[in-house]
Amino acid sequence: MDSKSKEFSNVDECNAFHDDRKSFDEQFRTYSHKDINMQKIRDKSEKLKSDLLENFEKQMQDVIEDFVQEIEKIEQSATVNGVPQTPHKQTNGELSEKVFIARRSILSELLEISHIRTIYHIFVAILIVFMLNTLVCDFMDQGRVVLDFQLIIYSFGKFPLVMYVWFCMASSTLLVVYPLFQYWAYNRCPGRVYWFDYLWLLAYIVYQLVFLVLPVKTIQANSIPAASSVVIVTEQVRLMMKAHAFVRENIPRALAYDKSKWKEEDVLPCPDFSKYLYFLFAPTLVYKDSYPRSRRPVRWNYVVSNFAQVLASLFYTYYIFERFCIPVFRNFNLNS
């Protein structure tokens, strides 16, 4: 009986072993099939990714090519009375002649291109998504809509000081550059360049250096925030370039001026102050005594639309910093 029971037990163990091995083989086949299927899925996803990237690059290349072609068409259409204008290099220190024509703005013409409008609408849609994301997050976290614009208020802080600095810069451009240039143009000795001219050139260089340094020193001394600093620096660069454009464009006129030979039909060595004042606020960096202007009345709806786009750009930057940059840098290096 003992030998028979041992035989039966050995047979049962063998059967159990075979069953376990069989189940193990089935599981191994199942897992191997799963691995093969997952590998196939990975391969297909990689192929799909590469195809999408290839199609995206091809479409972007087509968009850029169409954009360049449209720009070339716009530049070729810039004519005066149907005759294309080619720059003519002047002599005796004069700059090449610039011809201004009455035309629509480049931005308005670009927005008529379908691809540019698509990009514009994409950014508008992203701005709307940012706004909705902010409203939903505020409502989920605090149960109400939080209209917190402390970042904008902080960035544009010390605004009275900014306006004071801008007023000083604009006043110096109006009350220093123009009167000194007018005095030099009317009182210099006609003919070749003398030491008197070099003295005034040195004074002009000193003025530009002071104009370059003082606003920056004011920003550093008063710890003016970022956006307010950008306002000061951009206006500083704009006024410097405006003053230099006015002086550089009118130097040949002043050098050619001879009070004893001057006639009423001749060009004055220094333009009128009203022309200089208009140039400071005109959207150009090339000085001319007159510019072509539209005969149509001011389209105030277009002006309001542009100001609305400026405000939208401001909020666009606010949402990017508020939702993506500040939370990251607020907890930066705290976990370590």
Side-chain angles (χ1 to χ4, degrees), residues 34-48:
K34 288 182 179 179
D35 292 338
I36 293 173
N37 292 332
M38 289 299 296
Q39 187 63 35
K40 289 181 179 179
I41 292 173
R42 291 192 189 97
D43 295 338
K44 289 183 179 179
S45 63
E46 290 294 332
K47 184 179 180 181
L48 179 60

Side-chain angles (χ1 to χ4, degrees), residues 72-188:
E72 291 177 352
K73 291 180 181 178
I74 292 172
E75 291 180 350
Q76 292 174 0
S77 63
T79 59
V80 178
N81 297 326
V83 180
Q85 297 296 310
T86 57
H88 175 65
K89 186 67 178 178
Q90 303 294 323
T91 58
N92 298 326
E94 295 183 359
L95 297 173
S96 58
E97 185 68 20
K98 302 294 190 302
V99 178
F100 288 84
I101 59 174
R103 56 174 295 179
R104 301 174 63 192
S105 67
I106 298 294
L107 185 60
S108 300
E109 293 180 347
L110 288 178
L111 288 176
E112 292 183 354
I113 304 173
S114 60
H115 300 303
I116 303 300
R117 284 203 310 272
T118 301
I119 297 174
Y120 174 80
H121 292 152
I122 289 173
F123 279 97
V124 172
I126 294 174
L127 176 61
I128 295 174
V129 170
F130 281 164
M131 295 176 65
L132 293 177
N133 177 54
T134 302
L135 294 176
V136 171
C137 289
D138 291 341
F139 188 79
M140 295 294 292
D141 294 339
Q142 303 187 20
R144 61 187 180 87
V145 177
V146 180
L147 299 177
D148 187 10
F149 299 108
Q150 289 299 321
L151 179 61
I152 297 179
I153 297 173
Y154 166 76
S155 299
F156 287 94
K158 300 183 179 180
F159 202 72
L161 178 60
V162 174
M163 295 303 299
Y164 173 75
V165 174
W166 176 85
F167 179 77
C168 292
M169 292 190 298
S171 299
S172 67
T173 307
L174 290 171
L175 303 178
V176 175
V177 176
Y178 182 83
L180 292 181
F181 181 82
Q182 185 184 42
Y183 179 84
W184 169 78
Y186 280 100
N187 293 278
R188 68 174 300 272

